[in-house]
Amino acid sequence: MAMKTPSSATRCLLLLATGLLLLPAHADISLLPGKKKDKERKREQEAAREKLSTMSPEVKSGQVNFVMGRTVDIPLQAATATVSGLRFLIREQPKFGTLSEIRLSTENPSVGIVTYTHNGGPDLADSFSYACKVGEGSYSAPGVVTLMGQRPEPKLEVTKQPFFGKVLPGTEMIAKFEVTNKGIGPFVGEIAWQAPWKGPPRIELKVGQTQEFAVAVTPTVPGILTWETYLQPGADSSRLRLWIQCEQSFVVAPSRARMSYDEETGGRKVKVQISNSTPAPIHLTLDKPSRLKGPAELELEGTRMQEVEFTLAPDDVAAFRGEVLVNGVSMNQRVTVEADPEPAQIQLANAAQKTLDFGKTEMGASTERKLAVRNVGGVIAAIKLQALPPLSVPAGGAYNVEPGATLEIPVMLSSEKTGTFSNELVFSGNGGELKVPVRAVVFDPKVADAEMPAATTTAQPAAAKGKAAPSPAKAGPTKPAAVAAAPLAVAGVQKPKPAPRPAAGGAADTSLVAGMINAYLGAYGPPIDEALMNKELGRVEQIRVEKITTDEIELSWPVPEGKALISSYQVEQGRQMYAPAAQMWLPVWRVMSEAKPMFFSEGRVGVRLSGLTASSQYQMRIRSMDADGKLSESSDVYTITTAAPFHFPDWLWQLLLVIAFAGLGYTAFQLRQGRWKLREAV
């Protein structure tokens, strides 16, 4: 049978296989680089594994923290080439706790886990040692595990502070706060609350527990009430802040009031304002000293203000100081009321005695009558009695009268002329002005009554001893001397008086009347038309200087009576001007437009006068004005001097001159010695 010839494809495959079989014997074939490195790495790993298999395994030492009285899992770590047959052994047991059986970790077979349980004693530092081995090999060197314990301390944190807001006295407010225990131990503690705060006496919180507590407070007095405390001593996060604002249900102003003298009633009085700061009406009671007169109860509508007046009886003239206690439902306020003694006031002891009548007296004879006056004020009255001839009084007419005392003054009449005598005894001083008409009929016993002259005589002002009476024909008047500075807000300040009028009961001496009118005009100036006056406006009194500089003066005074009608105040400055018709100097009052209104403490009002001249005297008085431009009676006239400007003293100028000359001399000496040289100008 003939053999079949192979195909061309088969022949190619046979040739390739034959070449591959013959090639190793005749050529050196190198592997690719990547495959060579992998092969070398595998050989190195196998060599290291064989080396480790001949070495003992190792364990790692470490430190573990635990909580006193609690358990903790501790990892035991071994360094070995294989984990097959790996076992751990406890070499030394802990002293203050126990260890459980060792178990291998399911996640890492080279790690063992043991559970440590602390015995709860005071010792918090402990340790133990362990080792390991693989199969039947030897045990490794021991590793030490240090155990550091800590007490299960709580840690309180106030996560929400309480908020109270505003409250009236006597009202209880409750607010809540929130506390969380973020420590590792439970908290149990006693809380001591400071009055008037009230809260839980004991707080207990487990680990991680949050609880809400309530705290209450009942303020008794107005003001801001605060208190801070630490719920857990030493923990800043446990600080509890308590704050509440207690508002006043009513306000009394001012808290210290001074009474003023009322000339119309003859007593002293003061007004205080009581305001209801709540929307509801309140009932108040007022406890006051027995000497002080005023309401005992007061009904005050919500958010309203009312003025309360306290007075002293007209016959109560001594100094006063006392407290008024204004009582509400849950609070009270005190008002201190003070009053100076009433000013000295001279009155006739016998009110029915209107005139001092000598009756008929012989010419040349001396007749005496008693005149009794009484001081109804609270301070000593220093008085001066003016008696013109033919009247005379002892001690030069100067007397002091104690408060409440009566003084009997002998008045003598001795005339060398016949006729009907009519005059006045004038009391002046800090006790006010008092005029007592005097009447007498002087006759000559040698002349029959039918032949007695009917002429009326009036005493003439006597010329000063040793001086001639001024002549009316003397040319050129003399400008009045500068007025000394008047004391402010004290007794003794001369007050404006109405223009004098002739005494009734006889024909007045024209020269005496003219002299009295000229004296009035020289002191106060021409009077104001009554059509421009408003008698309901109170007179400005108790003026006080608040500030004096070189160019400014600040004055203050309490609001006078009729303040509802007062729209502003007018300050007038007096200047002396010569009146040729009257042949005398007269004060002319101008309105000071530079006066600016101001408000001061104690309810006082006032003005500031600016643009003044330093070291200058200003004579001024003050009036209150209503909306129609009508004026009140003027205040007392005050003379105030502005402060002197600053200037360098003469000795300082002299010292500066000496220093300048000394410097010039020293410079000249240095130039002459050649030590200093003048630089030439460029």
Side-chain angles (χ1 to χ4, degrees):
M1 183 176 69
M3 184 177 296
K4 187 178 180 179
T5 302
S7 63
S8 58
T10 303
R11 287 196 297 269
C12 291
L13 291 174
L14 290 175
L15 290 174
L16 180 61
T18 303
L20 291 174
L21 291 174
L22 296 176
L23 187 59
H26 301 281
D28 185 11
I29 300 175
S30 298
L31 297 176
L32 295 175
K35 294 182 178 181
K36 181 179 179 181
K37 290 182 178 180
D38 292 341
K39 189 174 181 180
E40 291 177 356
R41 187 181 301 110
K42 289 180 180 181
R43 285 199 299 266
E44 291 175 357
Q45 291 176 354
E46 290 177 357
R49 189 177 298 109
E50 291 176 359
K51 183 178 180 180
L52 288 174
S53 62
T54 61
M55 297 174 60
S56 299
E58 296 180 357
V59 294
K60 295 182 179 180
S61 300
Q63 178 177 321
V64 177
N65 297 327
F66 69 94
V67 178
M68 183 181 67
R70 298 183 184 179
T71 62
V72 59
D73 290 338
I74 302 173
L76 306 177
Q77 299 181 358
T80 179
T82 178
V83 296
S84 177
L86 178 64
R87 289 188 301 169
F88 290 93
L89 175 69
I90 300 299
R91 289 287 192 185
E92 183 180 358
Q93 294 287 337
K95 297 179 181 180
F96 308 110
T98 59
L99 295 176
S100 66
E101 293 292 334
I102 300 175
R103 56 193 185 275
L104 293 177
S105 172
T106 58
E107 298 178 355
N108 189 351
S110 64
V111 175
I113 297 177
V114 66
T115 301
Y116 172 79
T117 303
H118 185 253
N119 59 12
D123 297 300
L124 299 178
D126 206 351
S127 65
F128 69 91
S129 62
Y130 73 99
C132 71
K133 73 174 183 176
V134 177
E136 298 299 328
S138 61
Y139 279 98
S140 66
V144 179
V145 176
T146 304
L147 301 171
M148 301 299 297
Q150 57 180 342
R151 300 182 185 278
E153 297 287 348
K155 184 180 180 182
L156 296 189
E157 181 177 336
V158 179
T159 55
K160 179 183 177 182
Q161 296 285 348
F163 177 75
F164 291 92
K166 300 179 181 179
V167 68
L168 293 176
T171 303
E172 184 182 47
M173 289 290 291
I174 299 176
K176 294 183 179 181
F177 63 96
E178 191 176 79
V179 184
T180 301
N181 184 4
K182 295 186 177 181
I184 59 175
F187 175 81
V188 178
E190 305 288 336
I191 308 299
W193 297 90
Q194 177 180 298
W197 306 95
K198 298 178 182 179
R202 182 183 178 88
I203 293 180
E204 297 183 8
L205 288 175
K206 299 178 181 179
V207 176
Q209 182 182 1
T210 299
Q211 190 171 348
E212 196 175 55
F213 300 93
V215 59
V217 62
T218 306
T220 57
V221 295
I224 296 178
L225 186 63
T226 61
W227 184 57
E228 289 188 358
T229 186
Y230 290 89
L231 303 179
Q232 180 182 355
D236 291 340
S237 60
S238 69
R239 182 168 59 176
L240 182 66
R241 301 179 180 89
L242 304 176
W243 181 93
I244 190 171
Q245 180 176 351
C246 182
E247 294 186 327
Q248 297 184 165
S249 56
F250 63 91
V251 179
V252 181
S255 59
R256 182 182 297 273
R258 180 168 292 276
M259 307 186 78
S260 60
Y261 178 70
D262 187 357
E263 294 184 353
E264 295 183 0
T265 61
R268 290 164 292 176
K269 64 180 181 180
V270 70
K271 291 183 179 180
V272 298
Q273 297 178 345
I274 303 179
S275 303
N276 183 1
S277 56
T278 67
I282 58 175
H283 176 78
L284 304 176
T285 60
L286 290 80
D287 299 334
K288 55 190 180 300
S290 57
R291 290 176 57 189
L292 200 62
K293 310 300 178 184
E297 296 183 354
L298 181 64
E299 293 288 342
L300 197 56
E301 296 294 331
T303 65
R304 294 294 183 90
M305 185 272 291
Q306 185 172 336
E307 281 190 340
V308 179
E309 183 176 84
F310 298 101
T311 60
L312 292 173
D315 56 350
D316 187 352
V317 298
F320 174 81
R321 178 183 173 85
E323 285 188 343
V324 178
L325 186 63
V326 184
N327 302 297
V329 176
S330 56
M331 63 168 288
N332 57 64
Q333 287 197 29
R334 297 179 183 273
V335 181
T336 302
V337 180
E338 298 175 328
D340 296 328
E342 284 193 8
Q345 301 177 59
I346 292 297
Q347 297 179 359
L348 291 175
N350 183 7
Q353 183 182 8
K354 304 296 183 182
T355 304
L356 185 62
D357 194 349
F358 282 85
K360 292 185 178 181
T361 179
E362 294 182 2
M363 180 182 66
S366 296
T367 305
E368 180 181 305
R369 293 288 186 270
K370 300 290 187 180
L371 181 62
V373 293
R374 179 178 178 82
N375 180 11
V376 297
V379 297
I380 297 177
I383 60 175
K384 174 70 174 179
L385 175 57
Q386 180 182 4
L388 298 178
L391 300 176
S392 62
V393 292
Y399 310 98
N400 290 332
V401 187
E402 296 289 336
T406 300
L407 176 65
E408 195 173 61
I409 304 173
V411 181
M412 303 295 297
L413 172 65
S414 178
S415 177
E416 298 296 334
K417 296 182 180 180
T418 60
T420 300
F421 176 80
S422 177
N423 204 340
E424 286 182 335
L425 292 173
V426 180
F427 289 89
S428 60
N430 67 335
E433 187 178 83
L434 176 64
K435 295 181 179 181
V436 181
V438 179
R439 298 179 184 277
V441 176
V442 182
F443 67 94
D444 188 352
K446 299 179 181 180
V447 180
D449 292 344
E451 298 178 357
M452 185 181 301
T456 300
T457 61
T458 305
Q460 303 291 332
K465 186 175 181 181
K467 297 181 181 180
S471 174
K474 187 176 179 180
T478 302
K479 184 175 182 178
V483 182
L488 299 184
V490 297
V493 178
Q494 187 175 8
K495 301 182 178 182
K497 302 179 287 293
R501 298 178 180 178
D509 190 334
T510 57
S511 61
L512 177 60
V513 173
M516 297 174 67
I517 293 176
N518 290 339
Y520 175 86
L521 294 176
Y524 307 108
I528 297 179
D529 189 356
E530 292 186 359
L532 301 177
M533 303 286 290
N534 186 348
K535 297 183 179 181
E536 296 183 2
L537 295 177
R539 183 170 178 266
V540 176
E541 297 179 334
Q542 302 181 27
I543 298 177
R544 186 170 67 198
V545 176
E546 300 288 349
K547 176 183 177 183
I548 295 181
T549 63
T550 56
D551 60 349
E552 286 186 354
I553 296 176
E554 291 183 3
L555 305 176
S556 72
W557 57 86
V559 179
E561 294 295 325
K563 70 175 185 178
L565 302 176
I566 298 175
S567 63
S568 61
Y569 295 92
Q570 178 173 291
V571 182
E572 300 174 349
Q573 178 187 359
R575 294 182 177 179
Q576 297 290 336
M577 294 187 64
Y578 179 66
Q583 294 186 355
M584 62 183 300
W585 291 87
L586 297 177
V588 177
W589 300 92
R590 74 167 187 90
V591 178
M592 301 183 70
S593 58
E594 56 269 35
K596 295 182 179 179
M598 297 185 66
F599 294 93
F600 296 88
S601 59
E602 303 177 358
R604 297 174 69 91
V605 298
V607 294
R608 174 187 293 164
L609 305 174
S610 57
L612 307 180
T613 305
S615 301
S616 300
Q617 284 189 344
Y618 290 87
Q619 190 179 45
M620 59 186 67
R621 64 187 185 185
I622 303 173
R623 300 176 184 268
S624 55
M625 180 186 296
D626 61 12
D628 297 330
K630 294 187 178 181
L631 303 173
S632 68
E633 181 184 352
S634 68
S635 67
D636 298 341
V637 178
Y638 296 95
T639 301
I640 306 174
T641 304
T642 53
F646 174 78
H647 65 280
F648 285 98
D650 295 339
W651 63 268
L652 182 58
W653 288 112
Q654 296 173 1
L655 178 61
L656 293 176
L657 289 175
V658 170
I659 293 174
F661 282 116
L664 292 175
Y666 181 74
T667 302
F669 173 76
Q670 295 292 342
L671 291 174
R672 293 185 62 182
Q673 295 294 324
R675 299 176 183 175
W676 291 1
K677 294 183 179 180
L678 295 177
R679 181 178 298 176
E680 296 181 359
V682 180

